Each structure stands twice: as C-alpha cells, then as structure tokens.
Amino acid sequence: MADDLFLKIINREIPADIVYETDEILAFRDISPKAPVHILIIPKEHIKTINDLEAGHAEMIGKLFLAAAEIAAKEGIAENGYRVVMNCNQHGGQAVYHIHLHLLGGRQMGWPPG
Ligand code: AMP
C-alpha cells in the first residue's frame, strides 16, 4: 500500500489536476493523456485490482460509473460519446495497482483495442 501512487494523490502528497471529489471517489486528469479528455476515476479505498473486489464494493463501483457520466457531461463529451475502461493485471495493461476507471473522449475511438 505504501507504494500506491494514487493513494499519494488522494492524500495530496503528490499533485494532480483534480476534477471531481466525494467522500468515496476522486477523479483527476491522466498525466499522459491518450485522448483530448482522459480522466482517471478512483475509489479512495485501496483496492489493487478488479480481482480484489468484494460484494460490498458493488455500490462504490456503480458510483464510479455515475461519476464518469457526470464528468463526461461537464467536459462536453457526453453527446459525441466516450469510453470507460478498467485494466486488470498484466494482460489488461494495468500499471498502477489501485483500481481506476479511465474516462476517454474528445476523439473517435478505435475497436478492437490493440
Ligand atoms: P493503467 O495502465 O490502467 O494502470 O493506467 C495508469 C494510468 O495512470 C496511466 O494512463 C498513466 O498515464 C496514469 N498516471 C500515472 N501516474 C500518474 C500521475 N501521477 N497523475 C495522473 N495520472 C498518472
């Protein structure tokens, strides 16, 4: 947990461009954006991967998606559309082991992902 980068952002130990915050959730702009809008939406609770989720987390996971829709509207990308992605472990491309929902928009997304 000590090496959890996103916990350091939650605790304001390292800076981030925060766009949304509640008691449970924080959202901030990705430092290396892959789209004109690229925001990471995270629970404040330390959860390493999707594989570590428990039934008690269900409501919080729902709130991550509600936050994504609210932020997308604020960013002006809701109508054209956007993508939300949560990567898990090595094959999923996860680099930071504190679950986070990527909100990507502002350009056409390709499918399938590479
Ligand atoms: P993932 O590969 O799904 O674990 O995504 C991790 C994301 O965190 C990447 O898109 C990084 O660009 C982003 N990231 C890493 N460090 C920071 C940071 N200090 N502030 C904001 N975003 C970051």
Side-chain angles (χ1 to χ4, degrees), residues 3-108:
D3 59 354
D4 180 348
L5 178 69
F6 289 170
L7 221 46
K8 293 192 169 96
I9 289 178
I10 292 166
N11 293 330
R12 290 355 189 228
E13 291 166 23
I14 61 171
D17 185 357
I18 293 168
V19 297
Y20 176 97
E21 183 167 23
T22 67
D23 288 349
E24 286 178 278
I25 292 169
L26 190 72
F28 51 89
R29 294 190 195 280
D30 196 291
I31 202 165
S32 174
K34 310 325 184 266
V37 175
H38 187 175
I39 291 166
L40 302 175
I41 306 164
I42 69 171
K44 290 187 176 176
E45 182 180 345
H46 175 78
I47 302 166
K48 279 188 183 168
T49 78
I50 296 173
N51 294 337
D52 300 301
L53 288 170
E54 296 170 1
H57 293 127
E59 191 174 337
M60 178 274 292
I61 290 294
K63 288 178 182 174
L64 295 183
F65 280 82
L66 290 170
E70 189 177 326
I71 295 164
K74 271 193 214 147
E75 295 286 323
I77 60 171
E79 195 173 326
N80 280 343
Y82 53 89
R83 180 168 294 170
V84 289
V85 179
M86 190 178 284
N87 298 323
C88 182
N89 279 341
Q90 188 183 347
H91 281 190
Q94 186 172 7
V96 177
Y97 281 79
H98 180 123
I99 60 167
H100 47 282
L101 197 61
H102 294 260
L103 168 64
L104 297 140
R107 67 165 170 81
Q108 181 62 53

